[in-house]
Amino acid sequence: MTRISVPSALCMALLSGAASAAPVSYTIDPSHTYPSFEADHMGISYWRGKLNASEGKVVLDKVAGKGSVEVTINLASIDFGQDKLNEWARGKDLFDTTKYPKATYKGRLEQFANGVPAKLVGELDLHGVTQPLTLTIDRFKCIPHPLYKRELCGADAVGTFDRAKFGLDAGKDYGFDMSVALRIQVEALRDE
């Protein structure tokens, strides 16, 4: 379940690889960005879900081969496709969204080739705990947005993390694997 937070941050990083001669800012498009995750269910299946509300900024300097990402995810937007499971995940047994409503990822873009980053190296702040998290950018592309006439970038990124390190160890006593796999789709529009 925790994978979701990480995914939002990765999305921002991927979008920031657009071409430019100086630092350029992008705003994540929340209607086209949905971090998704896979979590073990007692070793017999994987449960999948997504987070429906995220926001953030990316700053990219393609020529210098550097950039930064900051993403905030609303944990109450978790969506397993099951209302009761969503309600449980928001409660004290998992995210405790009353006490910890948001997750934040801050990182830097690295391993540039031809102006495109391959990794996002940073930290995830989730459930009151901050841990390092690196994401791999598998796909990245920028195009002129057909309506807004500004650069639009999209990316897919992947990563894994141990949710127990964030104090999210529900199911551990039943043999649940604490690894969370992230699959992140993201789109971001260049600021005017």
Side-chain angles (χ1 to χ4, degrees), residues 14-26 60-64 112 114-117 140-143 151-153 190:
L14 298 176
L15 296 176
S16 65
S20 69
V24 176
S25 294
Y26 299 81
L60 175 70
D61 187 333
K62 182 179 177 183
V63 173
F112 281 73
N114 300 317
V116 176
F140 180 89
K141 183 177 181 178
C142 297
I143 63 169
E151 187 173 49
L152 174 70
C153 297
R190 182 176 175 156

Side-chain angles (χ1 to χ4, degrees), residues 127-149:
H127 203 245
V129 177
T130 302
Q131 290 284 321
L133 179 63
T134 298
L135 302 169
T136 300
I137 300 169
D138 285 341
R139 178 184 229 184
F140 180 89
K141 183 177 181 178
C142 297
I143 63 169
H145 193 288
L147 300 176
Y148 299 117
K149 309 302 181 201

Side-chain angles (χ1 to χ4, degrees), residues 12-80:
M12 292 298 290
L14 298 176
L15 296 176
S16 65
S20 69
V24 176
S25 294
Y26 299 81
T27 298
I28 213 171
D29 180 350
S31 64
H32 288 87
T33 301
Y34 297 101
S36 62
F37 59 94
E38 296 178 353
D40 175 65
H41 186 251
M42 296 191 295
I44 60 172
S45 67
Y46 288 102
W47 286 41
R48 294 174 176 88
K50 63 179 182 165
L51 289 168
N52 291 323
S54 58
E55 61 184 7
K57 295 293 252 179
V58 176
V59 176
L60 175 70
D61 187 333
K62 182 179 177 183
V63 173
K66 62 183 181 178
S68 63
V69 174
E70 184 168 345
V71 179
T72 300
I73 300 149
N74 180 343
L75 296 174
S77 72
I78 191 165
D79 185 358
F80 283 99

Side-chain angles (χ1 to χ4, degrees), residues 102-117:
K102 310 246 181 223
T104 303
Y105 183 87
K106 294 179 183 179
R108 67 188 180 279
L109 297 163
E110 294 189 354
Q111 296 184 2
F112 281 73
N114 300 317
V116 176

